[in-house]
Amino acid sequence: MVQATPFLLVLFLALGAHGLSTENVPSGCSLTGRWVNDLGSNMTITTVNANGVFAGSYHTAVTATTKKVEESPLQGSQHLPNLLSQPTFGFTIHWSYSDSITVFTGQCFVDDDGKEVLKTMWLLRSRVENIKNDWKATR
């Protein structure tokens, strides 16, 4: 576990997505657009349909892998913004360059200055060779 600690720290910084802010702040709290966190990781959500379903892509700026980092697809769902002004949401990223999946859940807030901010939590599930190693597969 000692060797995993630096990896987990780097991964947390890469995927934390805490305090994400949008470059072009639209009125209201909408997930559509390009979001960049304080470490330079970014995601783009193209559209949110009438049922709250959305798709897009995520590109992490920080990772512990030696593989080439690629933009990865994401799919998610949110509560409809016309029902809630600061909706909750969740999305899944299927990492294109590894055999892992990350799920995020969070809420879109509008701060006192009218700026949209995403607050999220995440879980990463990596593939392991057997059930005996299941204990170290989710971070």
Side-chain angles (χ1 to χ4, degrees), residues 17-26 28-31 35-38 43 85-89 106-120:
H18 61 284
L20 288 172
S21 62
T22 185
E23 293 179 352
N24 299 313
V25 179
C29 201
S30 170
L31 295 180
W35 297 83
V36 179
N37 72 7
D38 53 346
M43 75 173 175
S85 62
Q86 298 186 97
T88 57
F89 61 88
Q107 186 170 354
C108 184
F109 292 98
V110 178
D111 69 13
D112 292 338
D113 297 324
K115 183 178 178 182
E116 293 177 325
V117 177
L118 302 184
K119 292 293 187 175
T120 63

Side-chain angles (χ1 to χ4, degrees), residues 1-51:
M1 185 64 178
V2 175
Q3 290 178 331
T5 302
F7 170 75
L8 294 175
L9 178 60
V10 170
L11 187 62
F12 174 75
L13 294 174
L15 301 177
H18 61 284
L20 288 172
S21 62
T22 185
E23 293 179 352
N24 299 313
V25 179
S27 61
C29 201
S30 170
L31 295 180
T32 304
R34 183 169 185 260
W35 297 83
V36 179
N37 72 7
D38 53 346
L39 298 171
S41 297
N42 67 79
M43 75 173 175
T44 301
I45 297 175
T46 52
T47 59
V48 178
N49 75 17
N51 295 321

Side-chain angles (χ1 to χ4, degrees), residues 6-20 35-43 57-65 69-74 89 91-106 118-126 137-139:
F7 170 75
L8 294 175
L9 178 60
V10 170
L11 187 62
F12 174 75
L13 294 174
L15 301 177
H18 61 284
L20 288 172
W35 297 83
V36 179
N37 72 7
D38 53 346
L39 298 171
S41 297
N42 67 79
M43 75 173 175
S57 61
Y58 195 101
H59 189 271
T60 186
V62 183
T63 185
T65 185
V69 175
E70 300 172 2
E71 187 173 85
S72 299
L74 69 83
F89 61 88
F91 60 90
T92 302
I93 301 171
H94 173 227
W95 297 107
S96 299
Y97 56 91
S98 73
D99 55 358
S100 60
I101 298 283
T102 300
V103 293
F104 284 79
T105 186
L118 302 184
K119 292 293 187 175
T120 63
M121 295 294 289
W122 58 268
L123 286 172
L124 170 82
R125 177 65 188 212
S126 298
T138 301
R139 299 175 181 101

